[in-house]
Amino acid sequence: MRLEQTRFGVRFSNPVLLAAGTCGFGEELASVADLTALGGLVTKSVTCEPRLGNPAPRVAELPGAMMNSIGLANPGLEVVRRDKIPWIRDNLASINVFVSVAGHTTEEYAAVVEGLDGEDGFLGFELNLSCPNDSGLGGLPFALDPPALQRTVAAVRQKTERPLLVKLAPNVPDIGAAARLAVQEGADGVTLVNTMPGLVIDPETRLPSLGAGKGGLSGPALRAVGVAAVHAARGHVDAPILGVGGITSAEDALQYILAGACLVQVGTASFADPRAANRIVERLSEWGSRRGIADISTLIGAYGLVPQEDERT
């Protein structure tokens, strides 16, 4: 099965990317996995100033899921521009890299994008407007506040001509409407979904399992929510949708693709197996070949459609 696609005006060798927050900027994972065999990756979120993140413990394992409360720890705009982007340019030129961006205010999102836009070595930006475990943001995440969502996407759009993705939360009341707003304000695509807000309490200590208290739930338990979000958004936007949440196998990725995603992102699975994304690429190709499906593009949005003979030619 042919996995190659053209999106945002560039070639993706396959639809599998690494999700933001799970691969850093690629350096550490590159020592154990072949990142150049993937369609691309999304860096961890970059803020204007360096951030130490939330207190430990930052990760807790649950049955079928993981909770995290990293708090957007990152070295900040200047270090990313000086050290991280050059490394990406020198080592990951053959794949498509999106830089994830976060901030306290609309102005901070715009400042990070403006500060990095002149650098070579990456394709575009993904706006993290829905992080549920960053206590520093205060108030609602931008994705749950429609005026803030519109204002931030519009402001960033003025700072760059690169492809711009907007990452939305699974607990947005109407994710289709939120996706439509993002695209109307200039987003070239939407990423669905971010982690789900959650809380785990240790009955013995009566304290939260995470140092910051609440956090974000990811892993297989989130997958059905993410697939439903992609399907809902597909009816509201014609722009590319990137599906993320609980993908651990080729079959998981295909659920997102059938629901309407053209690309997918692998996140939590990489913690258990740093080569998980590479394995998914290989098995996607095998899955289609066994069924005589010539091109993965025929599966995008094919939820509910009976397989046709022309898919097998």
Side-chain angles (χ1 to χ4, degrees):
M1 182 169 67
R2 181 175 180 268
L3 301 181
E4 180 180 327
Q5 299 179 52
T6 298
R7 302 289 172 183
F8 312 110
V10 299
R11 172 184 175 271
F12 286 79
S13 61
N14 61 75
V16 181
L17 288 73
L18 291 173
T22 59
C23 63
F25 294 91
E27 307 106 312
E28 293 184 4
L29 201 56
S31 64
V32 295
D34 182 8
L35 301 186
T36 64
L38 303 177
L41 65 82
V42 184
T43 71
K44 74 185 313 175
S45 293
V46 179
T47 54
C48 284
E49 302 298 328
R51 297 193 56 164
L52 296 177
N54 288 335
R58 295 179 175 183
V59 176
E61 187 174 356
L62 308 174
M66 184 181 83
M67 288 283 294
N68 85 86
S69 184
I70 306 300
L72 300 179
N74 77 97
L77 170 60
E78 292 305 320
V79 172
V80 170
R81 180 164 52 195
R82 186 191 69 210
D83 299 335
K84 305 300 183 181
I85 297 299
W87 186 91
I88 291 171
R89 181 178 61 237
D90 294 343
N91 294 275
L92 300 178
S94 64
I95 67 172
N96 299 307
V97 175
F98 290 89
V99 175
S100 178
V101 179
H104 295 277
T105 64
T106 292
E107 292 72 22
E108 289 186 1
Y109 279 92
V112 172
V113 170
E114 185 174 30
L116 294 177
D117 194 52
E119 304 299 318
D120 297 325
F122 66 100
L123 175 61
F125 297 98
E126 180 181 86
L127 300 187
N128 180 1
L129 299 184
S130 52
C131 185
N133 53 43
D134 176 39
S135 58
L137 287 175
L140 286 174
F142 288 84
L144 274 67
D145 183 343
L149 168 66
Q150 291 178 279
R151 182 171 63 250
T152 303
V153 177
V156 170
R157 182 74 282 171
Q158 295 178 11
K159 301 297 184 181
T160 183
E161 295 182 357
R162 295 176 187 259
L164 182 63
L165 306 176
V166 172
K167 190 171 187 178
L168 299 176
N171 54 325
V172 172
D174 187 342
I175 203 156
R180 186 173 64 249
L181 283 179
V183 172
Q184 287 174 348
E185 295 299 336
D188 298 296
V190 290
T191 301
L192 308 174
V193 291
N194 210 325
T195 55
M196 175 75 78
L199 174 65
V200 178
I201 299 172
D202 183 336
E204 297 296 332
T205 65
R206 304 182 187 181
L207 296 173
S209 297
L210 296 175
K214 296 179 182 179
L217 182 143
S218 63
L222 184 64
R223 184 173 56 250
V225 176
V227 172
V230 168
H231 180 250
R234 183 72 279 166
H236 290 263
V237 298
D238 291 327
I241 297 175
L242 288 77
V244 57
I247 296 175
T248 64
S249 68
E251 288 78 7
D252 296 342
L254 285 162
Q255 288 193 52
Y256 277 98
I257 291 167
L258 290 167
C262 58
L263 303 171
V264 297
Q265 297 178 10
V266 177
T268 298
S270 298
F271 288 100
D273 176 8
R275 300 180 182 88
N278 295 88
R279 173 173 47 80
I280 291 169
V281 171
E282 294 172 1
R283 294 184 181 174
L284 271 175
S285 182
E286 294 170 0
W287 186 93
S289 296
R290 287 197 304 270
R291 290 159 177 79
I293 299 174
D295 197 313
I296 197 169
S297 65
T298 63
L299 300 176
I300 297 172
Y303 165 64
L305 301 179
V306 176
Q308 301 296 311
E309 287 301 319
D310 58 3
E311 287 182 342
R312 302 174 181 273
T313 60

